[in-house]
Amino acid sequence: MTSISIVIPCRNEAPYIEECIRAIYTAAIPSGVETNVFVVDGMSNDGTREIVQQLQREFLTLKLIDNVNQLTPFAFNLGIHAASCDYVQIIGARHIISNNYLSTCLQKLNEDSSIWCVGGRLENEYVNETGKVIALAMGTQLGMGIGNFRTLSKSGFTDTVTSPMYPYRVFEQIGFFDEELIRNQDDDFNFRVTKAGGKIWFDADISLKYYVRGNYKNLWKQFYQYGYWKVYVNQKHRTFTTIRQLIPPLFVLYLILFLFTWLFGATVGLAGSFPLIVYLALTAITTNRLVQQDHQLRFGDVFKTFPILHISYGLGYLKGVIDFVLLNKKPSDKQKQMSR
């Protein structure tokens, strides 16, 4: 009998948790495979726990585990340690898996032992109009970068995926999730996977419906933290885990230096404005394409989303460089607070 432990890290996700769980239990499972589902809850106070407890009466293999630390890497590890298994599937509480998700991941891992991790395609969903704009922007290469799993459309090898499945032997070989990393713990783990010789497969034939955050304040905080914690991951590994991560901080540095070019005269200032003009042009072209696809979108709302994604990440990254590289500090308590 093959067993899968399905781990759902969760805190205050009442609007989404039931749909997430039901999608798991209605997913196709090959014969001879058993599943146990562990909702690892960070002491939710919005009704999430009560929803899970109600669902436990319907689904006998559904378990609720307390995560008193209330942080994601602790949730991952608590769920992984909860039961012996052959495979571990991690699913975000806002992720609704397609019917073929679990079976396809299993098939791919069994077909090729060099693959240590499999994940699928994100289909961004929204809860309001702001979330819709954010989802569309995050689905573009301009928004998230070339090669980012959020924008991939064809199956192939990549550097990280979301809601991944791993054979349990991977954890025995390279260890568990780094509990120091409040953000980017999945990037760190998947970097260790590839460093140890494993491959990560993105499968475009399986999908996850993902409920995108619906306001710009939380989006800013989310991507600021992504940038901030990425530096901490780099410092741990003494290398850059991806090259595209450098583009937003370099862009922010450029914007700061651009202001000073005008001190050297209009000619220098105008010459220095060329990268900004290119960026604004690309943003306008991408925005116009999205607006043409959905005429209900407002150009200004879509346009401003791109600099919010890029500048928040870039500023967070630069703050991480100052804290971790220049000042040799540990992560600040403020940046351990998750965006909701």
Side-chain angles (χ1 to χ4, degrees):
M1 178 71 72
T2 300
S3 61
I4 309 173
S5 285
I6 300 172
V7 181
I8 307 174
C10 178
R11 185 167 187 267
N12 289 341
E13 299 288 6
Y16 316 106
I17 190 63
E18 182 171 354
E19 185 180 4
C20 174
I21 291 171
R22 290 194 179 278
I24 292 168
Y25 278 102
T26 56
I29 299 291
S31 60
V33 176
E34 64 176 11
T35 61
N36 288 286
V37 180
F38 301 97
V39 177
V40 188
D41 181 68
M43 316 313 293
S44 295
N45 56 16
D46 71 336
T48 296
R49 296 173 67 85
E50 289 75 14
I51 293 171
V52 175
Q53 289 165 351
Q54 182 69 29
L55 290 171
Q56 284 183 296
R57 301 174 186 175
E58 183 176 351
F59 303 115
L60 299 182
T61 60
L62 176 62
K63 307 293 191 299
L64 180 63
I65 299 175
D66 291 343
N67 175 17
V68 295
N69 289 291
Q70 300 184 345
L71 297 171
T72 304
F74 291 95
F76 287 163
N77 291 339
L78 284 168
I80 294 167
H81 289 302
S84 59
C85 62
D86 300 302
Y87 298 91
V88 173
Q89 172 71 65
I90 295 173
I91 298 176
R94 292 175 181 239
H95 289 168
I96 314 303
I97 64 171
S98 60
N99 183 262
N100 63 339
Y101 200 94
L102 300 176
S103 58
T104 301
C105 286
L106 271 176
Q107 179 183 353
K108 199 67 189 178
L109 291 171
N110 285 325
E111 284 178 352
D112 188 343
S113 61
S114 71
I115 296 176
W116 293 12
C117 172
V118 179
R121 170 173 49 85
L122 274 183
E123 295 181 345
N124 290 326
E125 293 287 332
Y126 51 90
V127 295
N128 55 32
E129 286 304 307
T130 299
K132 179 180 181 179
V133 171
I134 293 170
L136 290 171
M138 289 172 62
T140 65
Q141 291 186 345
L142 176 65
M144 300 304 300
I146 298 173
N148 186 281
F149 68 86
R150 295 176 185 269
T151 64
L152 295 177
S153 58
K154 295 182 179 180
S155 297
F157 295 109
T158 185
D159 52 19
T160 192
V161 290
T162 193
S163 285
M165 181 183 286
Y166 304 95
Y168 189 82
R169 60 180 171 79
V170 173
F171 300 98
E172 294 176 325
Q173 183 164 340
I174 68 173
F176 296 85
F177 286 91
D178 190 333
E179 293 177 350
E180 274 196 298
L181 300 175
I182 308 309
R183 288 280 193 194
N184 300 88
Q185 63 283 135
D186 50 347
D187 288 345
D188 167 77
F189 189 83
N190 286 334
F191 179 77
R192 285 189 276 143
V193 165
T194 56
K195 189 177 180 180
K199 296 179 180 178
I200 298 171
W201 180 259
F202 168 82
D203 200 305
D205 294 328
I206 58 177
S207 64
L208 299 148
K209 183 168 67 174
Y210 169 60
Y211 286 101
V212 180
R213 283 162 173 76
N215 67 75
Y216 286 114
K217 180 181 178 182
N218 286 350
L219 180 70
W220 178 280
K221 183 176 180 180
Q222 178 186 11
F223 275 77
Y224 184 95
Q225 288 181 333
Y226 281 157
Y228 181 83
W229 287 96
K230 177 64 80 173
V231 181
Y232 199 57
V233 173
N234 293 342
Q235 189 181 50
K236 277 179 169 286
H237 294 290
R238 300 184 182 278
T239 187
F240 298 113
T241 53
T242 61
I243 297 301
R244 63 177 177 268
Q245 70 185 268
L246 299 176
I247 297 175
L250 289 175
F251 177 62
V252 171
L253 279 176
Y254 157 74
L255 291 176
I256 295 170
L257 295 174
F258 169 65
L259 298 176
F260 292 97
T261 61
W262 293 92
L263 297 176
F264 299 96
T267 302
V268 177
L270 288 172
S273 66
F274 180 73
L276 179 59
I277 293 171
V278 172
Y279 175 80
L280 295 175
L282 290 173
T283 303
I285 291 169
T286 305
T287 298
N288 184 65
R289 177 169 56 82
L290 294 176
V291 171
Q292 290 301 315
Q293 293 172 0
D294 186 344
H295 295 291
Q296 293 182 338
L297 298 174
R298 292 187 297 183
F299 187 94
D301 291 340
V302 180
F303 188 95
K304 72 180 182 182
T305 305
F306 293 102
I308 288 173
L309 291 170
H310 302 147
I311 294 174
S312 61
Y313 186 100
L315 286 173
Y317 197 100
L318 294 176
K319 174 62 173 170
V321 170
I322 293 170
D323 282 2
F324 308 136
V325 179
L326 301 181
L327 301 180
N328 198 30
K329 293 168 61 176
K330 288 291 186 180
S332 70
D333 290 338
K334 181 179 180 180
Q335 298 309 324
K336 294 179 181 180
Q337 299 173 8
M338 301 296 286
S339 57
R340 293 291 170 192

